[in-house]
Amino acid sequence: MTGTTLMVQGTTSDAGKSVLVAGLARVLHRRGLSVVPFKPQNMALNSAVTADGGEIGRAQALQAAACGLEPHTDMNPVLLKPSSDQGAQVIIHGRPAAELDARAYHDYKPVAREAVLASHGRLADQYDHVLVEGAGSPAEINLRAGDIANMGFAEAVDCPVILVADIDRGGVFAHLVGTLALLSETERARVQGFVINRFRGDVGLLQPGLDWLEQETGKPVLGVLPYLHGLYLDAEDALPREAVPEKATDALKVVVPALPRISNHTDFDPLRLDPAVDLRFVGPGESLQPADLVILPGSKSVRDDLAWLRDQGWEAALQRHVRYGGKVLGICGGFQMLGRAVHDPDGVEGRPGSTPGLGWLDIETRLAPEKRLERVHGDRVLGREAGVEGYEIHAGITTGPGLERPLLYLAHGPDGACNEVSTVAGTYVHGVFDRSEAADALLHWAGMRPGSGQGEDLSAARERGLARLADTLEEHLDMKRVLALLGAVSTEPVA
């Protein structure tokens, strides 16, 4: 029996599609229903490694957790990872398939469409209900031809749509009515209701607008969701904008440069949530302020981002930072930058060539077309017993004497490198701070006082966020109507 499908689309990017799908997934899961997430096409630099050894968007891994499932490549069959303003790496069913600019990808869409429909078909055969997340907005006129991300997909599989809008941005009624106006007649008919997200204040004051919206469009408002301050969930792509816990006066100061092609910045979520760590992203034009630890993050374009760091004056600033006792850690692309050179003879990340590294680690990296995609775990950090878990997503092959002083010991062998005086270190492991044991070892190396860390495993914070989100949807969303759209048997929430 083929499962039913319900799609969540948004009037804008970051309207709340990912969060709404995650919340609905957890609501259905704890009601005992068989549910799976799906995003036909995702454009994001935050990715996760799946159980079947592929790569999907981070948001779909979160949604899988909400369903009580291991992430699988069928949950996000097409992932676009931007490598420049014009081009992106195209990942199909978890594996790199091509490097294309926007015009070439338009011609490639029939291939991507086949992958999308095949994945959806497999999931619909395995699960009773499929919750689908759209991408951006369905009203992007220039992207309508061959669309596989929004209404093009909904039309292909004949599913109903919920449209979500972010009232915190302003103009919520214009967003909703304007989006409908730009859809075709059959597409408008698919929209079965609206959800208004991130509302602050007295919802009674909003009621006249809700009444007008329903009368104007003939479609119901399924719910008005409050602004959930302090909610932690993995971000899909944009750098976090939510407030963080109040920091201790003696908090460890950590700085991360916001690289133009920063990837997997969710690596730093455990540090953002730790009251004993004051983490700041530093953008273009901002100088490096005094810090205990600077972390060079992952990058989709290592050589270009390294050039950007130098243009921003970071090379000299990092030299001063280390000279005055600060520590530097590189993760994935940031690890590669710390070596003697980064070579890209095949043009894996852009133009072929080589770029001198920062030279603090006695290693060199050669980029290769074949990616390493693997979940990893280990038991030692900086020579100290500490559980570590994470994942590797990289195309680099790193060699050199510096690897004889590894940062981590994983089940498959040593990982990363440290310099001789243990002031600079790097690793290929994303999520290295997710386990509190590993985070404590690294933060104490960086200068945190023993006993001052209050970190927790990220999975615990994620589970609390999903539970809070599901509780909110149960209270503020018309779940009876949502269940009806899914053709689901109404059941009571499980405590």
Side-chain angles (χ1 to χ4, degrees), residues 112-175:
R113 176 187 171 89
E114 289 184 14
V116 164
L117 295 179
S119 286
H120 174 263
R122 285 192 289 267
L123 293 180
D125 285 341
Q126 295 174 61
Y127 299 92
D128 293 338
H129 309 294
V130 183
L131 288 174
V132 184
E133 178 190 340
S137 163
E140 303 290 352
I141 302 301
N142 58 309
L143 300 177
R144 296 289 294 278
D147 170 55
I148 59 173
N150 289 297
M151 284 298 179
F153 170 80
E155 296 265 71
V157 303
D158 191 20
C159 72
V161 172
I162 292 175
L163 190 60
V164 60
D166 179 3
I167 196 171
D168 197 52
R169 294 171 179 264
V172 69
F173 299 113
H175 283 164

Side-chain angles (χ1 to χ4, degrees), residues 6 64 152 201 210 212-213 252 267 272 276 290 298 319 322 328 342 362 372 376 381 384 387 428 437:
L6 173 63
L210 303 180
W212 175 90
L213 180 64
L252 189 82
D267 287 341
R272 293 178 53 245
Q319 289 172 347
V322 173
V328 176
V342 179
D362 195 7
R372 178 176 172 84
V376 297
V381 179
R384 164 181 165 179
Y428 268 123
E437 294 176 47

